[in-house]
């Protein structure tokens, strides 16, 4: 039998831009810094255009600071 998930269907995670970049570069290496900068700008524009934050059922702070 299938049951509904006990959590909202449209969650969004967030952390500040500096922390996200630090985590990404720690994982991927500093040689990917330009890629990260470009991608973060594209991601921000995509989320803004789609109203992602406004449509989220749940916001999760992933900053752990």
């Amino acid at each position: 039998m299938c049951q509904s998930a006990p959590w909202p269907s449209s969650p969004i995670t967030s952390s500040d831009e500096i922390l996200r970049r630090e985590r990404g570069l720690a994982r991927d290496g500093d040689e990917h810094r330009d890629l990260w900068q470009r991608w973060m700008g594209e991601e921000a524009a995509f989320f803004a255009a789609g109203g992602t934050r406004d449509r989220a059922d749940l916001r999760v702070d992933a900053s752990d600071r």
Side-chain angles (χ1 to χ4, degrees):
M1 173 161 68
C2 180
Q3 294 180 336
S4 295
W7 53 82
S9 60
S10 299
I12 187 169
T13 59
S14 64
S15 61
D16 68 50
E17 200 171 295
I18 293 170
L19 178 59
R20 289 175 45 229
R21 186 174 44 250
E22 286 174 357
R23 287 177 175 170
L25 292 174
R27 184 190 63 223
D28 300 338
D30 196 55
E31 63 271 15
H32 295 287
R33 182 174 296 278
D34 291 341
L35 175 75
W36 264 94
Q37 288 298 116
R38 186 174 58 251
W39 179 79
M40 289 176 74
E42 292 170 359
E43 178 190 47
F46 177 80
F47 285 157
T52 304
R53 290 191 188 282
D54 295 334
R55 293 184 296 113
D57 295 320
L58 173 69
R59 293 183 185 149
V60 178
D61 181 356
S63 63
D64 77 344
R65 286 189 180 185

